[in-house]
Amino acid sequence: LGTPYVWGGKSPGGFDCSGFTGYVYSRVLGKSIGGYTVPQESAGVEVSMGALQAGDLLFWGARGNTYHVAIYVGGGTYIHAPTEGDVVKYQSMGGYAPSFAVRVVK
């Protein structure tokens, strides 16, 4: 939390959205899910928004052309690296709803 957004960032010195999700999965699960949104779409199986579990990846945009990714934490909230000038933070799905979700196969 609070790490600055840096375009192309993949470390605690600065993250972009997919750099953040890739770093978290590598550190927490020891699993490589790729460093960009489109490869991360293939890191698991698609799940419905009604079946979300903490740890699921949330994507914005059409499959194969996603432009943002976050990690669902539960209670209608996710954590992400949002945009330039912002920091890694929690956000409600009500304010910025994703297009689809993927459950990473552990």
Side-chain angles (χ1 to χ4, degrees):
L1 285 173
T3 299
Y5 179 96
V6 173
W7 177 258
K10 299 186 184 319
S11 75
F15 289 113
D16 67 8
C17 65
S18 55
F20 174 69
T21 53
Y23 181 87
V24 169
Y25 269 87
S26 174
R27 291 295 178 139
V28 173
L29 296 177
K31 183 168 182 70
S32 175
I33 62 170
Y36 302 95
T37 58
V38 174
Q40 290 180 2
E41 295 173 20
S42 301
V45 296
E46 191 166 341
V47 294
S48 73
M49 292 300 181
L52 289 175
Q53 295 178 2
D56 289 344
L57 293 172
L58 304 174
F59 292 91
W60 284 257
R63 270 196 168 276
N65 196 28
T66 49
Y67 56 87
H68 191 61
V69 61
I71 301 172
Y72 185 69
V73 296
T77 303
Y78 53 85
I79 187 168
H80 67 147
T83 189
E84 301 243 5
D86 213 336
V87 297
V88 173
K89 65 183 180 183
Y90 293 106
Q91 189 164 338
S92 167
M93 287 178 58
Y96 185 45
S99 305
F100 67 95
V102 168
R103 181 158 303 139
V104 175
V105 179
K106 298 171 184 165

